[in-house]
């Protein structure tokens, strides 16, 4: 396979590390050609840290028109997925999505899948900051229930739209407190930068309406913990990850960065694929 040309939307925590991984050859058979971020200069600042000189844009129109790439990685926000994903696929590029909560909108997801099919391109969803997605996929037809319990420190939950309408006051939480219980569909809207993993889990398993989510704020927590419990006629799974937060963004686990890099590596590198 010829080297895959990569473009990145979002030059924050995940986008920067991914760019460095491609730039330094950690992702083989790939070259970084283009960067885009709404924050003025953000793509430019990242470009200065790299050896390979990708183009840097603060306008999506320029990014998509001038970029000769095979795959675009979105590492920006759910809003960015809603605004740009269709255009990326129509421009005949594969798309890897990190802000997976955007795909909880079934009408939007169907539209994306239609566009991908029309363009002969693929939509990739990395496992992200959780584990066990291979097993959930394997038993998807046998699942009775799936629950995600996410525990983060208040500072890793701050800024979520949930707090605009809820009575919960994050700065008054002194001990472990369940602040949200509901469906994955509602959770990814209320906490768009915290539980995209709930959408990944739902897409692999029984969907956003049947996947249940519990979010716990715990001031004693220094990790981002995600615990998946899945039950069905196959037995029972329990997967727990205690993730170190990324240095640049306490909301985003370091595992999410590593998973994005590994997903891109497996797309670009033709060799052996381990796991489903
Ligand atoms: N699937 C998973 O397991 C995980 C997914 N995520 C998600 O991945 C995404 C990236 O995470 P992370 O790198 O930590 O985030 P960061 O906030 O560190 O970086 C995102 C960058 O993208 C920019 N951005 C936001 N919206 C747009 C837009 N519409 N167009 C262009 N640029 C935009 C941001 O600008 P600004 O600062 O102005 O918003 C910021 O510079 C987030 O949505 C996050 O919630 C994170 C962890 C795990
Ligand atoms: O990184 C994490 O722990 C999970 C996260 O933010 C998300 O899924 O949006």
């Amino acid at each position: 396979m010829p080297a895959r040309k990569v473009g990145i939307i979002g030059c924050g925590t995940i986008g920067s590390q991914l760019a460095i991984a491609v730039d330094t050859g950690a992702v083989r058979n790939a070259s970084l050609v283009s960067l885009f971020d709404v924050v003025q200069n953000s793509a430019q600042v990242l470009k200065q840290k790299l050896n390979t000189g990708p183009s840097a844009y603060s306008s999506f129109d320029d990014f998509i028109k001038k970029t000769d790439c095979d795959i675009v990685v979105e590492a920006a926000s759910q809003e960015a997925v809603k605004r740009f994903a269709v255009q990326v696929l129509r421009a005949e590029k594969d798309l890897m999505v990190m802000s997976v909560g955007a795909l909880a909108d079934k009408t939007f997801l169907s539209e994306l899948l239609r566009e991908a099919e029309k363009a002969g391109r693929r939509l990739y969803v990395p496992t992200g900051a959780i584990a066990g997605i291979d097993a959930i996929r394997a038993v998807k037809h046998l699942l009775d229930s799936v629950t995600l319990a996410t525990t983060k420190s208040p500072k890793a939950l701050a800024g979520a739209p949930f707090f605009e309408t809820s009575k919960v006051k994050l700065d008054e939480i002194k001990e472990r407190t369940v602040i949200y219980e509901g469906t994955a569909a509602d959770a990814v809207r209320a906490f768009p930068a915290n539980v995209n993993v709930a959408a990944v889990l739902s897409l692999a398993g029984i969907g956003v309406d049947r996947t249940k989510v519990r979010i716990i704020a715990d001031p004693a927590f220094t990790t981002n913990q995600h615990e998946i419990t899945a039950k069905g006629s196959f037995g029972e799974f329990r997967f727990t990850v205690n993730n170190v937060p990324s240095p640049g963004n306490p909301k985003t686990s370091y595992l999410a960065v590593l998973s994005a890099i590994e997903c891109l590596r497996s797309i670009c590198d033709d060799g052996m694929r381990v796991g489903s």
Side-chain angles (χ1 to χ4, degrees):
M1 197 205 285
R4 305 292 307 268
K5 289 175 270 177
V6 179
I8 296 178
I9 298 178
C11 299
T13 306
I14 296 174
S16 298
Q17 292 303 311
L18 198 60
I20 290 166
V22 178
D23 186 64
T24 56
V27 175
R28 288 194 318 164
N29 201 38
S31 62
L32 184 65
V33 294
S34 200
L35 302 167
F36 159 59
D37 196 295
V38 270
V39 180
Q40 201 72 25
N41 281 334
S42 185
Q44 197 61 39
V45 167
L46 175 56
K47 177 183 168 156
Q48 307 304 328
K49 297 181 189 156
L50 305 171
N51 301 311
T52 50
S55 306
Y57 300 103
S58 56
S59 144
F60 177 75
D61 286 349
D62 286 345
F63 169 80
I64 204 69
K65 281 189 195 129
K66 297 180 182 167
T67 295
D68 171 26
C69 68
D70 306 303
I71 179 163
V72 170
V73 179
E74 175 283 323
S77 61
Q78 291 186 26
E79 193 242 334
V81 179
K82 288 276 173 96
R83 280 180 61 193
F84 306 133
V86 167
Q87 293 178 70
V88 169
L89 293 168
R90 282 190 184 156
E92 300 191 339
K93 295 159 196 338
D94 291 330
L95 175 63
M96 182 174 133
V97 172
M98 290 310 295
S99 307
V100 192
L103 310 184
D105 176 339
K106 288 174 213 148
T107 311
F108 177 65
L109 177 58
S110 300
E111 186 188 357
L112 284 193
L113 293 174
R114 258 197 321 274
E115 292 293 345
E117 195 179 348
K118 255 197 266 173
R121 307 310 298 206
R122 302 199 69 180
L123 190 58
Y124 295 99
V125 176
T127 302
I130 48 176
I133 287 301
D134 49 350
I136 297 286
R137 273 171 52 194
V139 301
K140 72 188 306 172
H141 302 298
L142 304 175
L143 285 161
D144 292 329
S145 67
V146 182
T147 304
L148 171 73
T150 290
T151 308
K152 293 191 178 188
S153 70
K155 92 166 178 251
L157 294 164
F162 171 80
F163 299 107
E164 290 164 16
T165 50
S166 159
K167 291 195 182 104
V168 174
K169 298 274 170 281
L170 257 192
D171 47 4
E172 289 170 10
I173 292 179
K174 301 284 177 258
E175 59 189 22
R176 182 180 172 80
T177 307
V178 176
I179 60 168
Y180 173 88
E181 281 186 287
T183 64
D186 291 338
V188 297
R189 279 192 291 267
F191 296 89
N194 296 106
V195 288
N196 286 286
V197 288
V200 178
L201 181 60
S202 304
L203 290 169
I206 54 177
V208 288
D209 299 321
R210 290 178 64 207
T211 303
K212 302 289 179 247
V213 176
R214 193 159 60 247
I215 298 177
I216 299 126
D218 189 337
F221 251 63
T222 53
T223 57
N224 293 332
Q225 184 185 79
H226 303 288
E227 184 175 33
I228 294 166
T229 308
K231 295 179 186 167
S233 55
F234 58 90
E236 181 177 328
F237 297 149
R238 237 170 243 277
F239 305 110
T240 305
V241 292
N242 272 303
N243 293 327
V244 174
S246 297
N249 182 353
K251 297 179 176 66
T252 290
S253 300
Y254 186 44
L255 177 60
V257 175
L258 298 176
S259 171
I261 293 170
E262 175 55 17
C263 184
L264 187 63
R265 190 205 60 73
S266 74
I267 293 165
C268 297
D269 195 351
D270 232 351
M272 178 170 68
R273 177 172 296 201
V274 180
S276 53

